[in-house]
Amino acid sequence: MKIAVGIIGIFLGLLVLMQSCAVTAGSGLLQDKATGGAGAVGMLVGLLFFIAGAFSFALPLVGTIMFGLAAAFAFLASTQGSFSDLTIWGFIALILAMMSFFTWRSAKRKKLNAPV
């Protein structure tokens, strides 16, 4: 499951990053500063998704923390402007954080139960 979380995190990170860039550019054309700010935070969320996905391969606990941060930023930014897709990305980040946490916990249990 570690590999699946990593690949999904990296792919969705790039997707969120591209969508947030488009929202930021569109809000610049429409002179909408609130949506532009939400788009900028969306780019941070996309970067956190990408980093969390990369860390999920070797350090699932770090990936869990990064996905949690991405979810927090996404929920905070979704309240401003008209970039409500960040709410969906926040829920997806929470799901990936839980998956990464359970991956870390199962690896830790395997390590503790390993014969010496």
Side-chain angles (χ1 to χ4, degrees):
M1 186 159 75
K2 179 184 345 185
I3 294 171
V5 171
I7 290 171
I8 291 169
I10 289 172
F11 175 73
L12 289 179
L14 293 174
L15 189 66
V16 172
L17 197 57
M18 287 189 301
Q19 182 186 22
S20 299
C21 286
V23 166
T24 305
S27 68
L29 292 174
L30 297 174
Q31 304 288 323
D32 185 5
K33 291 186 181 190
T35 305
V41 175
M43 285 190 265
L44 175 66
V45 169
L47 186 65
L48 285 172
F49 260 87
F50 188 79
I51 292 170
F55 271 113
S56 291
F57 290 112
L59 302 169
L61 185 60
V62 176
T64 300
I65 295 168
M66 295 294 227
F67 280 127
L69 281 172
F73 282 129
F75 288 134
L76 287 173
S78 68
T79 60
Q80 51 178 301
S82 60
F83 189 22
S84 59
D85 286 357
L86 282 176
T87 305
I88 296 167
W89 295 122
F91 282 117
I92 291 172
L94 285 178
I95 291 168
L96 288 172
M98 287 189 303
M99 289 173 64
S100 185
F101 174 76
F102 289 128
T103 300
W104 170 75
R105 191 177 75 170
S106 68
K108 185 177 175 185
R109 282 187 181 173
K110 279 184 187 177
K111 196 175 195 180
L112 289 175
N113 295 335
V116 179

